[in-house]
C-alpha cells in the first residue's frame, strides 16, 4: 500500500509541474517505478487518491507535520491551504491582526500588499495544486481507463461517487480562486498533462463553470448527512452554490438572491439542526461527537495523531494564545503570541442599548427572589432587583452592577437571604445570612440555584463573545506586542469536560474546522430575504432568533422584524461566524472592505484608513505573470 501511495504522489507531482513548466518536457520513468496504470492496479488506490484530495486542505505534504512538502518556497506551516485561506479571509479584515514580522504578513491586515506578497503567492499556488490533484484523479477514472484496468462493477459504482466528490472539491477550490483572484488560470482534466501555458479565465466564465459543475454532480453525490464524516455530500454542493449566488452581484454583476433562498431551503430541509449546546462547544476538540456535528454541513477533520501539520487548527489554536493566557486551558503546550482582534470587532458585542429589566422579564415569570446591595442600582435600601424563575428553584436576572457588594433576598425581607458560604471550598456556594458578595461594575447575567445553593455571575451576555481581556489593551497602539488588542479564545483543544486532545505533546489538535454550518445558512437566508430574493421575513427572524437563543442561553437576545436590517446582518454574521474564514467575502459584498470600512491599522496607520477599491481582488502573483504570457494582471496592481 505504501508503495502505491508514494507512486500516486509522484504521478500527481509530475502532473502539477508539467502543467506549470514553460518548456515542453518528455518525461518517462528511468527505473522500475510504477506508472499511473500500475499504481491503480490496487483497487484501494482510488480511495487513497480521493483522500489525498481532501487532505489537500488540512495537510501540507506527505509526511506530517513537515519534511516532504507539497510546495516549495514557504515553510510547510505557512503553506498549508486552510492556514493561508484563513489569513486571506481574516487577517485582511477587522476580525484579526497578527503581531509577527514574518516577511510581508503584516501587509495583509494593512491592505498594502503587492503582487510580490509571498503569502498571496503561496495561496494562489496552493489553489492551483489542489486543482491539479482533482484533474488528475478525473483523468485516471474515465470509463476508458477503468475498462483498460478491468475494474469491476461494484468498484466502478463507488468511483462514480468519488468522481463527483473530486469535481466538488475542484469547484470549491475554483470558488476560492474566483473569490480571491477573480481571473485565475484555468485547467481541467481535458487539458494536456504536458507542459503548456494555461489560459486565463474571466470571473463570469469561471462562475458559470463552477455553477454547471455543481449542478451536474448533485445526483451522483451522497444524500445529505449520508456520507462518511468529513466527505462532501449533496448539501455541501448546495452550500457552495448558495455562497456563489449570495455574492453573484460582486462576481458577475447580476443578483441571484432568489437562488440563494432555493439552495438554502434545500439545506435547511435536509435534517441539520442547531444543537442545544453552548456555542463554544462547536469549537472544541470533541466537536465531531459532542452534538456540534449535527449543525455542520462540510467539515475539515483534524486529529492530533493522524493529521499533524503546523497549519490548520494547530495554527488556529496556538497563534491566538499568549500574554497571561494559560496554554493548558486550550489543551496545548504553549501559545505563539500572534493573532488578536481589533476594537471594531469587540464593539460588535456592545450592549449599551440592552434593557436588563426587559430581558429579565422575557426569560421567565418574575419571582419574589431578587438582588440587593451597594452594587445594585437600588442600594441596600432596596427594593430588590427582581429575578425570573427559569426552572424549578432556579432564578436568573440581568443587572447593571457597580463596584460594591450584593446578596440574594426573598420578598424584600431579610428573614431569608443568601450570601457567601465561607465554610465551603466552592467560591460560588451560598449560605443563609452569609457574608456579602463582592461585585465589580458591569452588565451581568446572575443565576441563583437553590437546588445546589450556588450562584453564578456571567459578564458574557452573548455566549459568542469569546474574548480574553486580562492584561490585554482593547486599542492597538503597536501591531507587534501580543497585549495590544483583545485575544480571541474561540478554538480550544479540550473536550466539553476540559480534557486535552489526543496529542500528548500538546502540539497538534483534534478540533475539526466547520467550513460550512447551518448557522451560516440561516444568516444567508435572512440576508437574501432582505435583499429581495423572496422567502419570509418572519421565517428569517425565527432563524436568527434560534441562533441568538443559543448564544444568550435564553430569549433575552431575541430580535423583532423591525430589527432585521442589512446593517444588523453584517454585524450578526461577524458575531456568529468570526474566525471561520468568511469575513473578507462578507465585507466585500456589503461594500465595507476597502474604500469604505475603517478599523485600526487598516491602510497601515494606527487609526485606520480606507484603501483603494481594487484591493477587493487579490493580485495575480508576479512570479506567474513572468512565466505565463497568457495572464493579465488584475487592475490596480
Amino acid at each position: 500500500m505504501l508503495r502505491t501511495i508514494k507512486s500516486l504522489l509522484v504521478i500527481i507531482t509530475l502532473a502539477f509541474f508539467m502543467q506549470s513548466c514553460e518548456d515542453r518536457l518528455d518525461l518517462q520513468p528511468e527505473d522500475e517505478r510504477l506508472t499511473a496504470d500500475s499504481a491503480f492496479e490496487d483497487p484501494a488506490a482510488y480511495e487513497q487518491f480521493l483522500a489525498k484530495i481532501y487532505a489537500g486542505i488540512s495537510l501540507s505534504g506527505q509526511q506530517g507535520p513537515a519534511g516532504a512538502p507539497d510546495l516549495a518556497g514557504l515553510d510547510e506551516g505557512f503553506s498549508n491551504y486552510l492556514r493561508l485561506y484563513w489569513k486571506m479571509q481574516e487577517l485582511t479584515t477587522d476580525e484579526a491582526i497578527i503581531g509577527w514580522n514574518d516577511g510581508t504578513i503584516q501587509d495583509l491586515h494593512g491592505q498594502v500588499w503587492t503582487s510580490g506578497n509571498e503569502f498571496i503567492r503561496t495561496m494562489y499556488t496552493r489553489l492551483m495544486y489542489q486543482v491539479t490533484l482533482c484533474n488528475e484523479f478525473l483523468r485516471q477514472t474515465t470509463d476508458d481507463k477503468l475498462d483498460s484496468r478491468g475494474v469491476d462493477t461494484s468498484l466502478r459504482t463507488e468511483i462514480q461517487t468519488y468522481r463527483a466528490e473530486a469535481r466538488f472539491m475542484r469547484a470549491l477550490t475554483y470558488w476560492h480562486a474566483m473569490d480571491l483572484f477573480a481571473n485565475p488560470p484555468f485547467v481541467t482534466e481535458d487539458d494536456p498533462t504536458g507542459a503548456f501555458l494555461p489560459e486565463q479565465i474571466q470571473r463570469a466564465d469561471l462562475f458559470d463553470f463552477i455553477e454547471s459543475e455543481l449542478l451536474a454532480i448533485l445526483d451522483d453525490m451522497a444524500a445529505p448527512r449520508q456520507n462518511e464524516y468529513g466527505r462532501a455530500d449533496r448539501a455541501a454542493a448546495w452550500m457552495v452554490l448558495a455562497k456563489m449566488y449570495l455574492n453573484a452581484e460582486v462576481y458577475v454583476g447580476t443578483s441571484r438572491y432568489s437562488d440563494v433562498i432555493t439552495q438554502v431551503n434545500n439545506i435547511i430541509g435536509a435534517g441539520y439542526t442547531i444543537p442545544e449546546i453552548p456555542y463554544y462547544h462547536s469549537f472544541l476538540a470533541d466537536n465531531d461527537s459532542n452534538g456540534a456535528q449535527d449543525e455542520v454541513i462540510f467539515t475539515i477533520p483534524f486529529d492530533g495523531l493522524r493529521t499533524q501539520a503546523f497549519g490548520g487548527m494547530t495554527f488556529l489554536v496556538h497563534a491566538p494564545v499568549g500574554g497571561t493566557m494559560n496554554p493548558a486551558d486550550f489543551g496545548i503546550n504553549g501559545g505563539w503570541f500572534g493573532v488578536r482582534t481589533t476594537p471594531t470587532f469587540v464593539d460588535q458585542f456592545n450592549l449599551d442599548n440592552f434593557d436588563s429589566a426587559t430581558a429579565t422579564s422575557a426569560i421567565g415569570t418574575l419571582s419574589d427572589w431578587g438582588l440587593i446591595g451597594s452594587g445594585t442600582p437600588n442600594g441596600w435600601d432596596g427594593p430588590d432587583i427582581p429575578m425570573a424563575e427559569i426552572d424549578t428553584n432556579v432564578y436568573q436576572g440581568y443587572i447593571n452592577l457597580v463596584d460594591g457588594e450584593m446578596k440574594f433576598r426573598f420578598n424584600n425581607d431579610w428573614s431569608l437571604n443568601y450570601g457567601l458560604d465561607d465554610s465551603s471550598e466552592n467560591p460560588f456556594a451560598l449560605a443563609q445570612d452569609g457574608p456579602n458578595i463582592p461585585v465589580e461594575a458591569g452588565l451581568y447575567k446572575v443565576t441563583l440555584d437553590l437546588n445546589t445553593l450556588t450562584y453564578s455571575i456571567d459578564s458574557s451576555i452573548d455566549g459568542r463573545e469569546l474574548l480574553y481581556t486580562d492584561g490585554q489593551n482593547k486599542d492597538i497602539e503597536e501591531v507587534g506586542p501580543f497585549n495590544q488588542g483583545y485575544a480571541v479564545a474561540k478554538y480550544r483543544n479540550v473536550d466539553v469536560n476540559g480534557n486535552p486532545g489526543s496529542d500528548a505533546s500538546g502540539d497538534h489538535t483534534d478540533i475539526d474546522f466547520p467550513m460550512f454550518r447551518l448557522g451560516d445558512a440561516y444568516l444567508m437566508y435572512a440576508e437574501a430575504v432582505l435583499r429581495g430574493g423572496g422567502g419570509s421575513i418572519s421565517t428569517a427572524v425565527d432563524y436568527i432568533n434560534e441562533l441568538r437563543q443559543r448564544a444568550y442561553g435564553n430569549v433575552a437576545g431575541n430580535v423583532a422584524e423591525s430589527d432585521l436590517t442589512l446593517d444588523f446582518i453584517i454585524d450578526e454574521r461577524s458575531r456568529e461566524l468570526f474566525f471561520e474564514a468568511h469575513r473578507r467575502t462578507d465585507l466585500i459584498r456589503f461594500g465595507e472592505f476597502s474604500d469604505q470600512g475603517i478599523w485600526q491599522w487598516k491602510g497601515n496607520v494606527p487609526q485606520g484608513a480606507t484603501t483603494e477599491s481594487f484591493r477587493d481582488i487579490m493580485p495575480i502573483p508576479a512570479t506567474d505573470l513572468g512565466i505565463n504570457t497568457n495572464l493579465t494582471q488584475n487592475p490596480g496592481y
Side-chain angles (χ1 to χ4, degrees):
M1 180 181 292
L2 182 61
R3 186 181 181 211
T4 301
I5 295 173
K6 287 183 176 178
S7 299
L8 285 169
L9 295 174
V10 169
I11 294 162
I12 295 164
T13 303
L14 284 176
F16 175 67
F17 285 108
M18 289 164 72
Q19 287 183 15
S20 303
C21 291
E22 184 175 12
D23 299 320
R24 182 166 297 278
L25 302 175
D26 184 14
L27 299 177
Q28 297 293 332
E30 295 179 355
D31 52 28
E32 296 182 356
R33 287 175 293 178
L34 294 179
T35 63
D37 287 332
S38 299
F40 283 102
E41 289 176 1
D42 181 356
Y46 297 97
E47 187 173 23
Q48 291 163 2
F49 197 161
L50 182 66
K52 171 61 181 176
I53 291 172
Y54 278 108
I57 295 181
S58 57
L59 301 178
S60 54
Q62 327 308 328
Q63 175 183 302
D70 292 329
L71 306 176
L74 263 188
D75 169 85
E76 268 201 66
F78 281 113
S79 67
N80 174 268
Y81 189 123
L82 180 57
R83 179 169 170 172
L84 286 164
Y85 185 66
W86 187 91
K87 287 176 179 175
M88 300 297 112
Q89 289 287 353
E90 296 289 352
L91 286 184
T92 58
T93 76
D94 55 350
E95 287 187 353
I97 190 169
I98 196 164
W100 300 342
N101 240 343
D102 299 287
T104 59
I105 194 168
Q106 290 188 8
D107 290 353
L108 297 177
H109 187 82
Q111 293 197 8
V112 292
W113 56 75
T114 69
S115 62
N117 185 286
E118 66 267 39
F119 297 94
I120 294 173
R121 179 183 71 242
T122 309
M123 178 79 262
Y124 173 94
T125 306
R126 177 62 71 178
L127 292 167
M128 296 303 104
Y129 176 76
Q130 185 75 355
V131 167
T132 298
L133 296 183
C134 299
N135 286 342
E136 188 59 21
F137 182 88
L138 295 172
R139 290 191 189 99
Q140 295 297 333
T141 53
T142 62
D143 287 339
D144 287 346
K145 287 286 188 181
L146 299 182
D147 288 343
S148 69
R149 297 172 189 146
V151 176
D152 64 41
T153 303
S154 176
L155 181 55
R156 288 176 84 113
T157 300
E158 287 187 49
I159 290 172
Q160 291 312 303
T161 301
Y162 296 166
R163 282 178 60 86
E165 291 178 43
R167 290 172 73 182
F168 166 81
M169 293 297 286
R170 182 175 64 181
L172 174 71
T173 305
Y174 267 136
W175 170 54
H176 289 163
M178 177 180 68
D179 184 75
L180 290 167
F181 297 99
N183 312 301
F186 182 68
V187 184
T188 72
E189 73 276 21
D190 296 326
D191 289 301
T193 57
F196 74 103
L197 300 178
E199 296 291 331
Q200 187 171 25
I201 190 169
Q202 295 304 299
R203 203 178 214 182
D205 295 327
L206 186 52
F207 183 100
D208 290 343
F209 171 81
I210 300 168
E211 180 185 30
S212 65
E213 281 285 281
L214 291 170
L215 292 174
I217 64 175
L218 287 174
D219 289 342
D220 290 326
M221 299 286 283
R225 309 186 72 210
Q226 298 303 308
N227 212 342
E228 289 181 274
Y229 183 81
R231 287 173 58 185
D233 59 25
R234 201 171 300 148
W238 290 332
M239 193 69 174
V240 177
L241 284 168
K243 301 289 274 189
M244 287 178 49
Y245 295 147
L246 188 66
N247 293 282
E249 280 194 281
V250 173
Y251 297 150
V252 299
T254 303
S255 66
R256 300 284 297 272
Y257 299 116
S258 62
D259 292 321
V260 176
I261 299 290
T262 299
Q263 300 303 327
V264 169
N265 279 338
N266 288 338
I267 294 164
I268 293 171
Y272 300 94
T273 58
I274 301 298
E276 295 183 1
I277 58 175
Y279 174 82
Y280 77 93
H281 283 193
S282 291
F283 312 100
L284 298 180
D286 58 349
N287 65 348
D288 62 337
S289 59
N290 66 19
Q293 73 277 8
D294 294 339
E295 180 187 359
V296 175
I297 297 161
F298 184 55
T299 189
I300 308 300
F302 285 87
D303 183 286
L305 300 178
R306 297 178 178 86
T307 54
Q308 295 188 346
F310 288 111
M313 296 310 301
T314 296
F315 166 77
L316 287 180
V317 178
H318 284 267
V321 173
T324 63
M325 303 169 81
N326 182 5
D329 293 341
F330 296 82
I332 55 176
N333 54 17
W336 292 355
F337 290 72
V339 175
R340 297 95 64 203
T341 193
T342 74
T344 302
F345 173 69
V346 174
D347 289 343
Q348 301 284 12
F349 295 98
N350 185 296
L351 293 173
D352 286 347
N353 296 321
F354 185 84
D355 188 323
S356 57
T358 300
T360 300
S361 297
I363 63 177
T365 303
L366 293 183
S367 72
D368 289 326
W369 280 99
L371 296 165
I372 190 167
S374 61
T376 70
N378 295 341
W380 286 113
D381 294 331
D384 300 347
I385 303 299
M387 304 180 75
E389 186 169 14
I390 62 170
D391 203 349
T392 303
N393 293 324
V394 181
Y395 305 89
Q396 193 172 82
Y398 291 90
I399 184 170
N400 281 288
L401 296 172
V402 297
D403 291 341
E405 297 176 322
M406 73 172 194
K407 297 188 83 169
F408 297 94
R409 192 168 71 165
F410 183 76
N411 198 27
N412 292 291
D413 189 280
W414 286 109
S415 61
L416 183 54
N417 73 89
Y418 288 109
L420 294 174
D421 182 354
D422 51 10
S423 67
S424 173
E425 293 182 358
N426 182 354
F428 300 101
L430 297 170
Q432 168 71 21
D433 297 322
N436 300 336
I437 303 167
V439 294
E440 296 180 352
L443 173 63
Y444 296 92
K445 179 170 67 176
V446 182
T447 306
L448 167 65
D449 188 342
L450 294 182
N451 299 301
T452 59
L453 273 186
T454 58
Y455 81 100
S456 65
I457 181 166
D458 190 356
S459 63
S460 181
I461 306 302
D462 186 332
R464 301 170 297 188
E465 189 180 355
L466 300 175
L467 300 173
Y468 185 90
T469 62
D470 182 30
Q472 301 295 125
N473 299 328
K474 180 181 176 182
D475 286 311
I476 305 169
E477 297 176 1
E478 297 179 70
V479 173
F482 185 82
N483 69 344
Q484 301 290 297
Y486 285 171
V488 174
K490 183 163 187 172
Y491 298 107
R492 296 195 297 137
N493 186 40
V494 295
D495 65 17
V496 294
N497 297 312
N499 302 309
S502 60
D503 179 16
S505 74
D507 274 333
H508 305 289
T509 75
D510 293 339
I511 310 165
D512 298 339
F513 182 77
M515 182 167 282
F516 301 133
R517 57 184 179 89
L518 184 61
D520 188 6
Y522 278 178
L523 287 158
M524 291 166 67
Y525 179 94
E527 182 180 340
V529 169
L530 290 172
R531 292 187 184 275
S536 162
I537 189 69
S538 62
T539 300
V541 171
D542 289 342
Y543 290 157
I544 297 300
N545 283 338
E546 189 174 351
L547 297 180
R548 291 178 70 82
Q549 286 166 27
R550 171 173 61 178
Y552 282 72
N554 52 44
V555 299
N558 279 20
V559 297
E561 288 187 14
S562 59
D563 298 312
L564 209 60
T565 65
L566 287 175
D567 286 342
F568 171 86
I569 289 294
I570 185 63
D571 291 345
E572 189 71 2
R573 286 189 63 82
S574 186
R575 287 185 287 264
E576 178 69 26
L577 301 169
F578 68 97
F579 272 39
E580 295 181 51
H582 299 285
R583 187 60 170 170
R584 172 189 162 276
T585 302
D586 288 347
L587 288 175
I588 290 171
R589 184 172 68 257
F590 279 80
E592 297 178 13
F593 180 71
S594 55
D595 58 349
Q596 292 188 48
I598 294 177
W599 50 85
Q600 287 187 356
W601 291 99
K602 179 185 173 182
N604 221 26
V605 294
Q607 71 276 17
T610 57
T611 59
E612 305 92 333
S613 61
F614 69 77
R615 294 194 181 278
D616 288 355
I617 297 173
M618 294 293 187
I620 303 295
T623 50
D624 212 27
L625 287 171
I627 295 172
N628 189 348
T629 55
N630 292 326
L631 301 180
T632 300
Q633 182 59 278
N634 289 325
Y637 294 104

